[in-house]
Amino acid sequence: TDNELSLLSREEIIQIINSMRAKGKTFDEVAQHLINLGQPTFSGRGVWHAQTIHRICTRNERKASNLKKKGISTPNSRTNKI
């Protein structure tokens, strides 16, 4: 129904996070935006926090860096462009 919340996939949420961070938004602003969208956290428990967004960004940057060392092209963690 129209009242049902449209849940985004993990990938879509990460794209929102990366896009907002690339535009200079703070971790807190990103967390608040996801709360305002009504998106549950990946675990489904609690609410989004700046620390959670920071952890996601750090993990994504680390993964991209490790893949780059192996010679694998990945989307840029801040712009989502290869």
Side-chain angles (χ1 to χ4, degrees), residues 28 42 65:
D28 191 56
F42 294 146
S65 176

Side-chain angles (χ1 to χ4, degrees), residues 2 5 8 21-22 26 36 57 60 64 66 72 77:
D2 289 339
L5 180 64
L8 300 172
R21 291 291 298 150
T26 66
N36 292 344
C57 291
N60 287 341
N66 288 339
I72 301 170
S77 64

Side-chain angles (χ1 to χ4, degrees), residues 26-56:
T26 66
F27 296 120
D28 191 56
E29 288 172 322
V30 175
Q32 191 58 53
H33 179 69
L34 292 172
I35 291 168
N36 292 344
L37 290 177
Q39 293 301 309
T41 60
F42 294 146
S43 69
R45 299 185 312 265
V47 295
W48 292 100
H49 295 280
Q51 182 177 353
T52 308
I53 303 302
H54 179 268
R55 189 177 308 117
I56 291 168

Side-chain angles (χ1 to χ4, degrees), residues 3-15:
N3 292 336
E4 286 184 26
L5 180 64
S6 176
L7 298 181
L8 300 172
S9 70
R10 182 182 188 98
E11 292 77 21
E12 289 170 317
I13 290 174
I14 289 173
Q15 287 176 350

